[in-house]
Amino acid sequence: QVQLVESGGGLVQSGGSLRLSCAASGTNFSGSVMGWSRQAPGKERELVANITSGGSTTYADSVKGRFFISRDNAKNTVYLQMNSLEPEDTAVYYCNLRNRYWNRWGQGTQVTVSS
């Protein structure tokens, strides 16, 4: 079974930073598209960032210039560096793995930004 283990969430003040990590196992990580999405209470899940197997990145307009996605294939891990956090960023953040065999999400990690 594919497993995605997330870490790094927590409570921060407005303007602060967090780095989320997601370690994958059970499938071909280097050949997978990895991403992060988030869901705030009462809202639909929103794609935040993606990174392809070749390293190309995409971001939601709401986080461009503040959030940065990266991957370390040797560690089977994807990261989301979040800077200049705002209360509007408060949500549960989910790691996503997609390849020819799987399309899976992690359990989610809570990020809360206080004003």
Side-chain angles (χ1 to χ4, degrees):
Q1 184 179 4
V2 175
Q3 289 191 327
L4 302 172
V5 181
E6 301 166 330
S7 61
L11 174 64
V12 299
Q13 290 183 281
S14 181
S17 297
L18 284 174
R19 189 174 79 158
L20 306 182
S21 300
C22 174
S25 62
T27 191
N28 179 10
F29 177 84
S30 63
S32 300
V33 176
M34 301 299 299
W36 292 92
S37 62
R38 66 186 183 185
Q39 188 166 27
K43 303 291 185 179
E44 293 294 313
R45 187 175 295 191
E46 172 191 24
L47 175 67
V48 173
N50 267 345
I51 184 166
T52 69
S53 60
S56 298
T57 59
T58 57
Y59 299 94
D61 288 342
S62 58
V63 307
K64 285 181 180 177
R66 300 188 298 120
F67 290 13
F68 302 93
I69 189 171
S70 62
R71 66 193 298 159
D72 186 340
N73 289 341
K75 297 181 178 180
N76 286 358
T77 299
V78 64
Y79 305 94
L80 184 67
Q81 178 67 45
M82 304 185 294
N83 301 319
S84 301
L85 284 162
E86 304 166 351
E88 293 76 17
D89 297 315
T90 295
V92 178
Y93 284 71
Y94 298 90
C95 176
N96 172 243
L97 177 150
R98 178 181 174 89
N99 62 28
R100 65 180 294 179
Y101 303 110
W102 300 97
N103 187 10
R104 299 289 297 276
W105 287 262
Q107 80 285 354
T109 185
Q110 177 70 47
V111 172
T112 302
V113 185
S114 64
S115 59

